[in-house]
Amino acid sequence: MKQHLVNLLPPATLVAIVCFWMFGPAAWLANDYTLVWVTSITTAFVLGLEFLFERHPGWRMNWREFATDLFYVILGATVITWVTNVAAEEPLMAAKKALGIATPWAGRLPFLVQVVSVMAIIEFGQYWMHRLMHNSTPFWLTHAPHHHITQLNAMKGSVGNPIELFLISLSVLAFFDFSLTAKFCAISVNAAIAIYAHANVAANPPFFYSFFFTTIRNHSLHHSVPYEDTRCNYGNSLIIFDRIFGTFREGEASVVGQDERKRLSIWEQAVFPFVPLVDAYKARRGGQVS
Protein backbone atom coordinates (compact mmCIF):
# COMPACT_ATOMS: atom_id res chain seq x y z
CA MET A 1 0.00 0.00 0.00
CA LYS A 2 2.83 2.40 0.90
CA GLN A 3 4.63 1.78 -2.41
CA HIS A 4 1.39 2.27 -4.30
CA LEU A 5 0.95 5.68 -2.70
CA VAL A 6 4.56 6.62 -3.48
CA ASN A 7 3.97 5.65 -7.11
CA LEU A 8 1.05 8.09 -7.24
CA LEU A 9 3.14 11.05 -6.01
CA PRO A 10 4.22 12.27 -9.50
CA PRO A 11 0.67 12.37 -10.97
CA ALA A 12 -0.68 13.86 -7.73
CA THR A 13 1.94 16.62 -7.94
CA LEU A 14 0.89 17.46 -11.50
CA VAL A 15 -2.76 17.63 -10.47
CA ALA A 16 -1.88 20.00 -7.60
CA ILE A 17 0.11 22.27 -9.92
CA VAL A 18 -2.66 22.42 -12.53
CA CYS A 19 -5.28 23.16 -9.85
CA PHE A 20 -3.16 26.00 -8.51
CA TRP A 21 -2.89 27.66 -11.92
CA MET A 22 -6.58 27.11 -12.62
CA PHE A 23 -7.97 28.35 -9.31
CA GLY A 24 -5.23 30.39 -7.63
CA PRO A 25 -5.56 34.12 -6.76
CA ALA A 26 -5.55 36.24 -9.93
CA ALA A 27 -2.84 38.57 -8.57
CA TRP A 28 -0.51 35.60 -8.06
CA LEU A 29 -1.18 34.01 -11.42
CA ALA A 30 -0.16 37.14 -13.34
CA ASN A 31 3.14 37.51 -11.48
CA ASP A 32 6.31 36.13 -13.11
CA TYR A 33 7.79 35.34 -9.71
CA THR A 34 4.94 32.94 -8.97
CA LEU A 35 6.34 30.64 -11.65
CA VAL A 36 9.70 30.67 -9.86
CA TRP A 37 8.04 29.94 -6.52
CA VAL A 38 5.96 27.05 -7.86
CA THR A 39 9.00 25.41 -9.45
CA SER A 40 11.13 26.02 -6.35
CA ILE A 41 8.51 24.55 -4.02
CA THR A 42 8.15 21.53 -6.31
CA THR A 43 11.92 21.02 -6.33
CA ALA A 44 12.15 21.30 -2.53
CA PHE A 45 9.27 18.84 -2.14
CA VAL A 46 10.88 16.24 -4.40
CA LEU A 47 14.27 16.70 -2.71
CA GLY A 48 12.52 15.88 0.55
CA LEU A 49 11.05 12.76 -1.00
CA GLU A 50 14.57 11.60 -1.88
CA PHE A 51 15.34 11.31 1.82
CA LEU A 52 12.09 9.52 2.60
CA PHE A 53 11.85 7.16 -0.39
CA GLU A 54 15.36 6.67 -1.72
CA ARG A 55 15.69 4.78 -5.01
CA HIS A 56 19.44 4.07 -5.07
CA PRO A 57 21.87 4.59 -2.15
CA GLY A 58 24.58 5.42 -4.70
CA TRP A 59 22.64 8.53 -5.70
CA ARG A 60 22.30 9.83 -2.14
CA MET A 61 22.60 13.61 -1.97
CA ASN A 62 25.67 15.20 -0.35
CA TRP A 63 26.63 18.82 0.21
CA ARG A 64 28.94 19.01 -2.82
CA GLU A 65 26.23 17.72 -5.14
CA PHE A 66 23.64 20.01 -3.57
CA ALA A 67 25.82 23.11 -3.93
CA THR A 68 26.65 22.28 -7.55
CA ASP A 69 23.03 21.58 -8.44
CA LEU A 70 21.85 24.78 -6.75
CA PHE A 71 24.41 26.78 -8.72
CA TYR A 72 22.96 25.49 -11.98
CA VAL A 73 19.36 26.04 -10.89
CA ILE A 74 20.19 29.69 -10.11
CA LEU A 75 22.19 30.02 -13.35
CA GLY A 76 19.23 28.74 -15.35
CA ALA A 77 16.73 31.02 -13.61
CA THR A 78 18.88 34.12 -14.08
CA VAL A 79 21.61 34.22 -16.75
CA ILE A 80 20.23 31.55 -19.09
CA THR A 81 16.70 32.96 -18.87
CA TRP A 82 17.98 36.47 -19.58
CA VAL A 83 20.10 35.38 -22.55
CA THR A 84 17.20 33.33 -23.97
CA ASN A 85 14.86 36.33 -23.70
CA VAL A 86 17.33 38.74 -25.30
CA ALA A 87 18.76 36.44 -27.99
CA ALA A 88 15.67 34.39 -28.87
CA GLU A 89 12.31 35.37 -27.38
CA GLU A 90 12.47 39.11 -28.08
CA PRO A 91 13.69 38.68 -31.70
CA LEU A 92 10.94 36.11 -32.30
CA MET A 93 8.32 38.47 -30.89
CA ALA A 94 9.65 41.27 -33.10
CA ALA A 95 9.54 38.97 -36.15
CA LYS A 96 6.01 37.92 -35.28
CA LYS A 97 4.91 41.53 -35.12
CA ALA A 98 6.72 42.46 -38.32
CA LEU A 99 5.15 39.55 -40.19
CA GLY A 100 1.70 40.30 -38.81
CA ILE A 101 1.33 36.85 -37.28
CA ALA A 102 -1.56 36.57 -34.82
CA THR A 103 -3.15 33.52 -33.23
CA PRO A 104 -5.92 34.88 -30.97
CA TRP A 105 -7.71 31.54 -31.29
CA ALA A 106 -4.98 29.95 -29.16
CA GLY A 107 -5.95 32.05 -26.14
CA ARG A 108 -9.62 31.12 -26.55
CA LEU A 109 -9.04 27.38 -26.30
CA PRO A 110 -10.10 25.62 -23.07
CA PHE A 111 -7.48 26.11 -20.37
CA LEU A 112 -6.32 22.48 -20.23
CA VAL A 113 -6.10 22.31 -24.04
CA GLN A 114 -3.87 25.38 -23.96
CA VAL A 115 -1.68 23.82 -21.27
CA VAL A 116 -1.25 20.57 -23.19
CA SER A 117 -0.55 22.50 -26.40
CA VAL A 118 2.15 24.63 -24.76
CA MET A 119 3.73 21.54 -23.20
CA ALA A 120 3.79 19.79 -26.58
CA ILE A 121 5.23 22.78 -28.46
CA ILE A 122 8.05 23.22 -25.94
CA GLU A 123 8.80 19.52 -25.71
CA PHE A 124 8.65 18.88 -29.45
CA GLY A 125 11.49 21.34 -29.99
CA GLN A 126 13.45 20.02 -27.02
CA TYR A 127 13.05 16.43 -28.21
CA TRP A 128 14.62 17.16 -31.60
CA MET A 129 17.31 19.39 -30.14
CA HIS A 130 18.15 16.70 -27.59
CA ARG A 131 18.22 14.04 -30.29
CA LEU A 132 20.51 16.21 -32.42
CA MET A 133 22.86 16.59 -29.46
CA HIS A 134 23.27 12.82 -29.30
CA ASN A 135 23.83 12.40 -33.02
CA SER A 136 26.09 15.31 -33.98
CA THR A 137 29.56 15.73 -32.49
CA PRO A 138 29.56 19.57 -32.15
CA PHE A 139 26.20 19.47 -30.37
CA TRP A 140 27.20 16.43 -28.31
CA LEU A 141 30.19 18.36 -26.96
CA THR A 142 27.78 20.90 -25.46
CA HIS A 143 25.49 18.20 -24.07
CA ALA A 144 28.03 15.62 -22.87
CA PRO A 145 28.74 17.49 -19.59
CA HIS A 146 25.14 16.78 -18.54
CA HIS A 147 25.88 13.07 -18.97
CA HIS A 148 28.97 13.30 -16.80
CA ILE A 149 26.82 13.54 -13.70
CA THR A 150 27.38 10.40 -11.65
CA GLN A 151 24.11 10.38 -9.74
CA LEU A 152 20.57 11.53 -10.37
CA ASN A 153 18.79 13.99 -8.08
CA ALA A 154 15.86 16.37 -8.30
CA MET A 155 17.93 19.34 -9.52
CA LYS A 156 20.16 17.43 -11.94
CA GLY A 157 18.04 18.38 -14.95
CA SER A 158 19.45 21.91 -14.61
CA VAL A 159 23.10 20.78 -14.70
CA GLY A 160 24.97 21.26 -17.96
CA ASN A 161 27.19 23.41 -20.12
CA PRO A 162 25.72 26.95 -20.53
CA ILE A 163 25.64 26.61 -24.34
CA GLU A 164 23.50 23.48 -24.06
CA LEU A 165 21.25 25.09 -21.45
CA PHE A 166 20.61 27.92 -23.91
CA LEU A 167 20.05 25.65 -26.90
CA ILE A 168 17.65 23.37 -25.07
CA SER A 169 15.60 26.38 -23.93
CA LEU A 170 14.81 27.51 -27.48
CA SER A 171 11.25 27.16 -28.79
CA VAL A 172 8.76 28.74 -31.18
CA LEU A 173 6.19 29.31 -28.43
CA ALA A 174 6.49 33.08 -28.92
CA PHE A 175 4.52 32.77 -32.18
CA PHE A 176 1.41 31.57 -30.33
CA ASP A 177 -0.97 33.76 -28.32
CA PHE A 178 -1.76 31.38 -25.49
CA SER A 179 -2.81 32.91 -22.18
CA LEU A 180 0.00 33.79 -19.80
CA THR A 181 -1.47 31.57 -17.08
CA ALA A 182 -1.62 28.58 -19.44
CA LYS A 183 2.03 29.13 -20.36
CA PHE A 184 3.04 29.34 -16.71
CA CYS A 185 1.05 26.21 -15.90
CA ALA A 186 2.61 24.24 -18.77
CA ILE A 187 6.12 25.32 -17.84
CA SER A 188 5.47 24.36 -14.21
CA VAL A 189 4.12 20.94 -15.20
CA ASN A 190 7.00 20.25 -17.60
CA ALA A 191 9.45 21.25 -14.88
CA ALA A 192 7.78 18.98 -12.31
CA ILE A 193 7.92 16.00 -14.67
CA ALA A 194 11.61 16.66 -15.41
CA ILE A 195 12.35 17.04 -11.69
CA TYR A 196 10.82 13.63 -10.94
CA ALA A 197 12.56 12.18 -14.01
CA HIS A 198 15.94 13.06 -12.49
CA ALA A 199 15.07 12.42 -8.83
CA ASN A 200 16.35 9.68 -6.56
CA VAL A 201 12.80 8.76 -5.58
CA ALA A 202 11.51 5.17 -5.56
CA ALA A 203 8.33 6.06 -7.43
CA ASN A 204 7.20 4.06 -10.45
CA PRO A 205 4.10 5.90 -11.66
CA PRO A 206 1.22 3.94 -13.19
CA PHE A 207 0.95 3.33 -16.92
CA PHE A 208 -1.48 6.21 -17.51
CA TYR A 209 1.38 8.51 -16.41
CA SER A 210 4.47 6.71 -17.73
CA PHE A 211 3.01 6.22 -21.21
CA PHE A 212 2.94 9.99 -21.78
CA PHE A 213 5.41 11.43 -19.30
CA THR A 214 9.11 10.76 -18.71
CA THR A 215 9.94 8.89 -15.50
CA ILE A 216 13.15 8.21 -13.61
CA ARG A 217 12.98 4.60 -14.73
CA ASN A 218 13.37 5.29 -18.44
CA HIS A 219 15.35 8.50 -18.10
CA SER A 220 17.97 6.75 -15.96
CA LEU A 221 18.58 4.43 -18.92
CA HIS A 222 19.24 7.54 -21.01
CA HIS A 223 21.95 8.45 -18.48
CA SER A 224 23.57 5.01 -18.39
CA VAL A 225 27.32 4.60 -18.91
CA PRO A 226 27.54 2.97 -22.40
CA TYR A 227 27.23 5.83 -24.90
CA GLU A 228 24.98 3.88 -27.25
CA ASP A 229 22.52 3.31 -24.41
CA THR A 230 22.11 7.07 -24.05
CA ARG A 231 20.68 7.36 -27.57
CA CYS A 232 17.10 6.72 -26.50
CA ASN A 233 14.37 8.21 -24.31
CA TYR A 234 15.15 11.79 -25.32
CA GLY A 235 11.94 13.27 -23.95
CA ASN A 236 12.69 15.74 -21.18
CA SER A 237 9.10 15.63 -19.98
CA LEU A 238 7.04 13.94 -22.69
CA ILE A 239 8.24 10.40 -23.39
CA ILE A 240 5.34 10.09 -25.83
CA PHE A 241 7.51 11.66 -28.55
CA ASP A 242 10.02 8.83 -28.14
CA ARG A 243 7.20 6.34 -28.58
CA ILE A 244 5.97 8.16 -31.69
CA PHE A 245 9.40 8.56 -33.33
CA GLY A 246 10.80 5.15 -32.40
CA THR A 247 13.44 6.17 -29.86
CA PHE A 248 11.72 4.76 -26.79
CA ARG A 249 13.53 1.94 -25.00
CA GLU A 250 12.34 0.09 -21.92
CA GLY A 251 14.82 -0.31 -19.10
CA GLU A 252 16.52 1.30 -16.14
CA ALA A 253 20.05 2.07 -14.97
CA SER A 254 21.38 2.48 -11.45
CA VAL A 255 24.91 3.46 -12.55
CA VAL A 256 25.16 6.66 -14.60
CA GLY A 257 27.88 8.80 -16.16
CA GLN A 258 30.28 8.97 -19.10
CA ASP A 259 34.02 8.52 -19.75
CA GLU A 260 34.66 6.11 -16.88
CA ARG A 261 32.15 8.05 -14.79
CA LYS A 262 34.37 11.11 -14.42
CA ARG A 263 32.53 13.82 -12.51
CA LEU A 264 33.16 17.28 -13.96
CA SER A 265 33.57 20.43 -11.90
CA ILE A 266 31.61 23.56 -12.79
CA TRP A 267 34.67 24.91 -14.64
CA GLU A 268 35.21 21.65 -16.50
CA GLN A 269 31.55 21.66 -17.53
CA ALA A 270 31.92 25.20 -18.88
CA VAL A 271 35.04 24.57 -21.00
CA PHE A 272 34.23 21.00 -22.08
CA PRO A 273 33.04 21.84 -25.65
CA PHE A 274 36.28 23.71 -26.34
CA VAL A 275 38.74 21.07 -25.06
CA PRO A 276 39.10 19.27 -28.44
CA LEU A 277 39.88 22.59 -30.15
CA VAL A 278 42.46 23.50 -27.51
CA ASP A 279 44.03 20.03 -27.72
CA ALA A 280 44.17 20.23 -31.52
CA TYR A 281 45.77 23.67 -31.32
CA LYS A 282 48.37 22.45 -28.82
CA ALA A 283 49.14 19.41 -30.98
CA ARG A 284 49.56 21.61 -34.03
CA ARG A 285 51.82 24.00 -32.15
CA GLY A 286 53.84 21.07 -30.83
CA GLY A 287 54.27 19.69 -34.34
CA GLN A 288 55.44 23.04 -35.67
CA VAL A 289 58.01 23.43 -32.84
CA SER A 290 59.43 19.94 -33.36
Side-chain angles (χ1 to χ4, degrees):
M1 183 63 180
K2 177 183 176 181
Q3 185 58 53
H4 180 68
L5 293 175
V6 173
N7 292 344
L8 290 176
L9 284 170
T13 302
L14 300 196
V15 170
I17 291 172
V18 171
C19 287
F20 170 79
W21 288 108
M22 288 184 70
F23 307 113
W28 292 7
L29 303 184
N31 192 322
D32 290 355
Y33 287 104
T34 302
L35 177 61
V36 176
W37 276 109
V38 170
T39 304
S40 298
I41 291 171
T42 303
T43 303
F45 174 68
V46 179
L47 280 172
L49 294 179
E50 291 191 357
F51 289 96
L52 296 174
F53 311 109
E54 184 178 73
R55 193 177 192 91
H56 298 297
W59 297 356
R60 189 169 297 162
M61 178 68 75
N62 56 56
W63 284 110
R64 182 178 71 163
E65 293 293 333
F66 179 79
T68 301
D69 294 354
L70 185 61
F71 168 83
Y72 281 105
V73 168
I74 295 173
L75 179 71
T78 55
V79 177
I80 302 300
T81 297
W82 179 80
V83 172
T84 301
N85 285 335
V86 172
E89 294 299 314
E90 291 177 6
L92 284 177
M93 291 296 292
K96 177 187 175 186
K97 183 177 180 180
L99 295 171
I101 298 174
T103 57
W105 53 266
R108 293 194 291 267
L109 293 171
F111 181 77
L112 290 180
V113 175
Q114 290 191 57
V115 171
V116 172
S117 299
V118 173
M119 290 175 63
I121 291 170
I122 293 174
E123 273 292 299
F124 186 77
Q126 288 191 344
Y127 169 85
W128 286 106
M129 178 60 74
H130 194 180
R131 189 167 170 175
L132 174 65
M133 287 175 172
H134 280 263
N135 292 276
S136 171
T137 299
F139 287 91
W140 169 248
L141 289 173
T142 70
H143 182 55
H146 178 66
H147 281 265
H148 275 261
I149 57 178
T150 56
Q151 64 185 67
L152 294 175
N153 304 109
M155 295 189 288
K156 284 294 191 293
S158 299
V159 175
N161 178 269
I163 299 173
E164 180 226 359
L165 299 178
F166 167 72
L167 291 174
I168 209 71
S169 71
L170 300 178
S171 80
V172 295
L173 187 62
F175 286 113
F176 296 89
D177 298 317
F178 294 108
S179 72
L180 183 63
T181 305
K183 291 180 182 178
F184 284 171
C185 182
I187 293 170
S188 299
V189 171
N190 274 352
I193 298 169
I195 289 167
Y196 272 110
H198 287 86
N200 187 20
V201 178
N204 294 305
F207 184 72
F208 71 79
Y209 181 101
S210 61
F211 183 81
F212 296 99
F213 305 133
T214 303
T215 65
I216 182 62
R217 174 175 169 77
N218 297 135
H219 196 66
S220 64
L221 181 64
H222 176 76
H223 275 274
S224 55
V225 178
Y227 170 70
E228 286 301 320
D229 287 351
T230 71
R231 300 174 71 183
C232 67
N233 302 345
Y234 297 113
N236 189 48
S237 297
L238 299 183
I239 200 75
I240 187 65
F241 286 129
D242 286 284
R243 297 184 186 276
I244 292 172
F245 297 113
T247 52
F248 174 79
R249 189 184 305 170
E250 186 57 68
E252 181 174 5
S254 59
V255 179
V256 298
Q258 285 289 300
D259 296 339
E260 299 181 349
R261 304 189 67 237
K262 173 179 169 53
R263 182 188 186 277
L264 302 181
S265 67
I266 291 174
W267 172 250
E268 288 172 326
Q269 290 246 8
V271 302
F272 190 91
F274 310 106
V275 170
L277 294 176
V278 173
D279 289 345
Y281 174 75
K282 288 180 178 178
R284 184 178 178 182
R285 289 270 299 178
Q288 289 176 345
V289 170
S290 62

